[in-house]
Amino acid sequence: MAVMEKMTRASSGGMISGRTMFCHLDAPANAISVCRDATQVVVAGRNIFKIFALEDEGFVERLNLRVGRKPSLNFSCADVMWHQMEENLLATAATNGAVVTWNLGRPCRNKQEQLFTEHKRTVNKVCFHPTEVHMLLSGSQDGYMKCFDLRKKESVSTFSGQSESVRDVQFSMKDYFTFAASFENGNVQLWDIRRPDRYERMFTAHTGPVFCCDWHPEDRGWLATGGRDKMVKVWDMTTNRAKEIFCVQTIASVARVKWRPERKWHLATCSMMVDHNIYVWDVRRPYIPFATFEEHKDVTTGIVWRHQHDPDFLLSGSKDSTLYQHMFKDASRPVDRANPEGLCFGLFGDLAFAAKESLMSGEVGRKPYAGGDRRYPIFFFKKPDVTEQFAQVSSALSVFETAPGGAPMDWFIKTARRYLLSGRPFAELCEHNAKVAKDLNRPQVSTTWTMLRIMFSDPANPSSSSNHNLSKLGNLPLMNSFSMKEMSSALTERNKENRQDNIHNLDSNLNTTEDNEETEGSEGQAEYLFGDAELDDDDLYSMEHENQAAEEAEFSLPQEAFPLRHEIVDHPSAPEPLTEKPESPHVSGSEAEATCLTPMESFSLISVSSSLLFPPHLPPAFFSPVVIAMLRYYAEQGDVQMAVSVLIVLGDRIRREIDELTQEHWYMSYIDLLQRFELWNVSNEVIKLSTCGAISCLNQASTTLHINCSNCKRPMNNRGWICDRCHQCASVCAVCHHVVKGVFVWCQGCSHGGHLTHIMDWLRNSTYCPAACGHQCEYT
Amino acid sequence: MNSSTDICNNCRAALREKEKGMKVPQHISSGPSSFIPESEILEAMPLGDHTVMLLAEEFSGRMDNLTQVMGLHPHYLQAFLRCQYYLLRMDGPLPLHYRHYIAIMAAARHQCSVLVCQHVQEFEQIGVCSDWLRGLEHCPQRIRNLNEINKILAHRPWLITKDHIQALVKTGEHSWSLAELVHAVVLLAHFHALASFVFGSGINPDPEVAEVTGVADDLCPPAVSGICSCHLTNNGRANDSSPGNTNVGSELEVLMERMKRLQEEREEDEASEEEMFTRFEKEKKESLLVGSGGFDNNKVVPPSPVARFVDDPSFGYQDFARHGEDNLPTFRAQDYSWEDHGFSLVNRLYSDVGHLLDDKFRTACDLTYYNMASHEGVDTSMLRRALFNYVHCMYGIRYDDYDYGEVNQLLERSLKVYIKTVTCYPERTTRRMYESYWHQFRHSEKVHVNLLLMEARMQAELLYALRAITHYMT
């Protein structure tokens, strides 16, 4: 017998030929099956039941089994199977619960042979015994499996899964008596066909329904299962406990799984929803499909390998009413298109990077990745495997660690902690924040704060600073900076001495402008820095700063800028005494005094003249576009902290100019960052200060505290101190025996407590509980 | 002041209804439900297990009436609360205030002021966009776009097509992402179905809700009970024992007998294909005749404070069967089932909600105490399935493997009237309807029926909506 089988295998295996082809069906298919010699395929669905011949050039319809004027529900097939021994015999599972067998050898048009209506619910699956001619197994929604002897009119045995619906039943290829059944509740059961009273073994394979299972055609112990949880698992059943040996994660629930003939590690899957492709997986490479067939336009409902010893032909039917024959050589190979590079940040700012080895070795010297201080190259090599044609990929993984001590986000945390967002006059806030930024060596941010202060607190002097701001943002063409020079010279002429400070200010502004242009053009310098960075630890440290500056500001400041800059940022501290002088002509409303005024009162006149020079028709609103551009710039740079802080500090001055959604987005990002760094207080402050509705309501979620009554142990409803049910005062102070209506402090050990002050007093003198329960309470 | 005029309007409307020979919902003066005596519900409360109590974070200490009634089935309540909590409060595609507003819109379709008030209050607590509460025209276009599927899902879910989905999802200023849409659809279905439960069980408005201040004042008249004369006249339970009670003894026996017979018959019952088909059609058609008789289907709903959240109020339920089979194909449950298809889609677009819904459906369907009225140890699965499938049948969903003859055998006419009213136009449910079926059954069993109806309805709506989304995606 076995020898004969081998021979037929050999002869027929060589004969199959064909190409990728398809034909239209009239209706969606639910299942397909092929006859043993691989020459014909049967397609079954709710409204279709046809046999097609597989010719070299295409599918040819052979037979329509759906006959009769008013087709009965018995034709509405959920599953179909062609007998693998008897070429005229087919079985279908009908949605109304009927199991039907068909004999193609019948002379009349109606080929229906037998009808079993024993199941009460939809039959999901039928399965012929692989070697026994007359044995048919069915699994139904009603939770029963039935074994039919086709020579009899009724089932010979009924197996009760004692659980929910049966989704699939499969006879073992090698064990004559064994079959596997998969269930909607995630279990898989193994049964001995001779013992209908109890399953041999059961295990939970998936969470949620197991839609399909398939025995390995060669390996006796392997069972593949696919479930709604989007996984395909391969189980080794030879051991005492079913052991999961492989697991493939797909992107959608798995409707069918079929081992690929002649390829030990390969199996094909298709999905039930959303995903229309057929995948062939190598179970040892679970992260990427070995091959995919992407022809179908709707979900694939049935897949079957055309011949049980030929791995190159796959047939599939689909809801899109087509029947396909796929040639394996035409399959697309995702691995060819896959991008073998990966990049990932670690929890502590480490950076891991994997790339093809060839790529890496060529570029090791160049070091294109910033932020890396040390390199720990780790090389992984895939073991070469001759049996599979999976593209060999060996990639190198590099992990970049940050230097110990110099956490790259330090500045973020410090800034978040030290920034002041409210509670003081606007100018002071700006000043403070500028100072913080300066301390943390972030000159650009610091300058921005200073500029903001100047722009929004003094109507007299804003023009120069705004220009500076513009040029800094790169919004201003070069021409403008020339005109600014002219302007500054004009200024210098008119109030040469008096406005020394301001000129200083302006000059330095101009300097920074030029510097900016300079550095932006010279990127080579920055790269050189990175290249250098590897040399030793001292260098590393300095690079850290450079690096930071580059990250934040996109340009790094050359050395000569620093002394000047120093003066700028120092400047704000000068006018502080002035803010106390109410007689100053420029005090406006609640705003703090203009900071750029010279500290002597007598000069106020001159400053008026300067305000005439730059007439006051430049209200703060004039700067809004610039400030908005600045905020966007920072946000785009990834410094959402700056954007949000400025937004809060400026408050109404700018809020209405930026659309709500953007603001919300910034707030969310910043709050998210703050919470990641566990800066809860800051994050709460930000939420509180935000003006976006969606943000401020964040603080209002889960603010409820539930308490139970201390007498009846029921939840307290309305008030915290009196229980509705037992009408007792629940929270009585153990010291003064009055009801506590405010803060109630209690011991977690003995649950006695009372007024905060009373308990504090008590425990200062005694170590025991005031309620005299004998517990040694502690107040910390 | 506002509210007092409202009540007068209510009274007038009620009188008008009465003149037409209809009964309006009568309120037992106090307690969670106007249909169920308070004592019954309180009795059941000790069953509430610890998990339920934990979940009661929803209710800031006090459980609302709805929860108390549902608490008759603590096992289910747990699944329900977990699901609702996830939908309304946990991470999801939609912002919190959107969720409550959608809940308001959904409940308003059935003029369910209990739910509307509850969520108006919640919405106010969030404290944003409170002007939306002044009515649909004050909320963004994006939300108003939901009106179309809201009304279709509420009244005639079989009409929803992929074009509706496309209109919402297509790129543009007010477009919805698929994930947001799925969240919205689940919310809509949830609150439509919940409205059915509220009316079906006669849930009374929560007393606290009346304390709402501000814009929504007029929405929530202080607990209607006791103030209004029409309720006072009707709140006695004297007339409860309706004339039908004389033959109650036999009623239960008949039902039990039928169930037993069906179980036995099943083996030899070899109904032909056509027979099965006609049985389904017959149930479908019969559902047409049931119930809606007294109502003019196109009657304009009297203006109520809730109406501001309703767009196109004249759009109401229309029988599925009335349209004939040619233009509305029957929905085959086997081709698009919750377990296989709906779940996967929902879970893909709105993670984890699939499991919670699945759990809820499963709990509702499998819930049984093996009791029927005074009888114990009864397998009620057949009855439960009949209820569930009958609802789906009215929505045009057919199970190939179900014999709709069973529905006819097991569900008496008065029950069918009740089912149809509760699922299709719950706002018309009256106490008389509630009391007219299953006289010997306990209230908790009737609440169980309501749970089944609610879940069946929700699943039917979801299936139609999700199928449309699937079609849109492919």
Side-chain angles (χ1 to χ4, degrees), chain B residues 281-292:
Chain B
E281 291 300 315
K282 189 168 147 248
E283 278 316 312
K284 219 167 77 181
K285 290 262 157 52
E286 243 184 32
S287 73
L288 231 175
L289 309 169
V290 156
S292 57

Side-chain angles (χ1 to χ4, degrees), chain A residues 455-601:
Chain A
M455 271 189 257
F456 285 93
S457 25
D458 180 22
N461 295 303
S463 55
S464 58
S465 45
S466 93
N467 266 343
H468 165 75
N469 209 340
L470 274 173
S471 62
K472 195 175 65 182
L473 293 173
N475 284 348
L476 213 61
L478 205 61
M479 226 171 58
N480 277 26
S481 72
F482 281 121
S483 65
M484 206 167 101
K485 257 179 195 160
E486 280 165 28
M487 229 158 59
S488 69
S489 60
L491 249 177
T492 346
E493 276 168 31
R494 286 181 202 214
N495 24 15
K496 220 165 206 158
E497 300 155 327
N498 306 338
R499 300 186 46 81
Q500 199 102 47
D501 276 337
N502 251 349
I503 293 156
H504 237 312
N505 192 357
L506 257 176
D507 278 347
S508 61
N509 288 350
L510 286 171
N511 271 341
T512 36
T513 321
E514 283 154 19
D515 293 339
N516 291 353
E517 280 151 16
E518 216 174 280
T519 39
E520 259 160 25
S522 61
E523 273 169 38
Q525 195 184 5
E527 254 188 36
Y528 172 74
L529 279 173
F530 295 144
D532 251 2
E534 245 204 328
L535 295 177
D536 65 27
D537 274 346
D538 289 11
D539 258 15
L540 268 181
Y541 212 75
S542 71
M543 194 212 65
E544 178 93 51
H545 296 308
E546 292 297 344
N547 220 354
Q548 253 177 39
E551 257 172 40
E552 291 150 16
E554 209 179 42
F555 58 86
S556 56
L557 293 154
Q559 294 302 316
E560 68 259 33
F562 280 111
L564 284 170
R565 185 157 294 271
H566 188 71
E567 273 182 41
I568 313 172
V569 278
D570 236 9
H571 179 89
S573 56
E576 258 172 12
L578 196 87
T579 53
E580 290 153 22
K581 296 190 176 174
E583 64 268 39
S584 168
H586 290 286
V587 173
S588 55
S590 67
E591 283 309 327
E593 167 56 326
T595 46
C596 280
L597 282 178
T598 39
M600 271 161 290
E601 219 177 21

Side-chain angles (χ1 to χ4, degrees), chain A residues 46 73-74 76 94-98 117 119-123 140-142, chain B residues 255 258-259 262-263 266 269-284 330-334 379-394 396-412 415-416 419 438 452 456:
Chain A
R46 174 172 291 283
L73 268 186
N74 293 342
S76 166
T95 50
N96 65 351
T117 51
H119 285 295
K120 292 182 198 115
R121 305 282 302 266
T122 299
V123 179
S140 157
Q141 199 77 14
D142 60 14
Chain B
L255 184 57
R258 278 188 181 155
M259 280 175 68
L262 275 174
Q263 217 126 33
R266 234 184 208 164
D269 181 27
E270 291 287 322
S272 75
E273 206 48 46
E274 291 76 20
E275 178 62 22
M276 299 289 264
F277 180 72
T278 17
R279 281 181 193 172
F280 174 73
E281 291 300 315
K282 189 168 147 248
E283 278 316 312
K284 219 167 77 181
T330 303
F331 188 118
R332 301 291 188 144
Q334 268 82 1
D379 178 10
T380 57
S381 60
M382 194 180 262
L383 200 54
R384 284 180 280 135
R385 196 162 171 227
L387 287 166
F388 198 86
N389 286 357
Y390 184 62
V391 173
H392 278 197
C393 169
M394 284 190 300
I397 300 174
R398 180 180 174 194
Y399 290 84
D400 285 345
D401 53 359
Y402 187 68
D403 175 7
Y404 286 84
E406 283 184 25
V407 169
N408 216 25
Q409 300 269 311
L410 298 176
L411 309 185
E412 59 188 54
L415 177 54
K416 279 187 184 169
I419 293 174
W438 286 8
L452 275 171

Side-chain angles (χ1 to χ4, degrees), chain A residues 46 72-73 95-96 117 120-122 164 167 184 211 228 251 272 274 276 693 700 706 717, chain B residues 57 61-62 125-126 128 266 270 273 332 334-335 339-340 343-344 348 358 362 385 400-401 474:
Chain A
R46 174 172 291 283
S72 94
L73 268 186
T95 50
N96 65 351
T117 51
K120 292 182 198 115
R121 305 282 302 266
T122 299
E164 290 172 78
R167 299 308 299 240
E184 198 149 293
F211 286 137
R228 193 171 71 180
I251 56 167
M272 189 163 270
V274 194
H276 310 157
Q700 289 161 26
H706 296 289
N717 295 335
Chain B
E57 175 164 358
R62 185 191 181 281
Q125 273 176 6
I126 294 175
V128 284
R266 234 184 208 164
E270 291 287 322
E273 206 48 46
R332 301 291 188 144
Q334 268 82 1
D335 289 353
E339 286 82 10
D340 295 3
F343 173 90
S344 301
R348 183 187 189 85
D358 204 35
R362 214 172 274 258
R385 196 162 171 227
D400 285 345
D401 53 359
T474 51

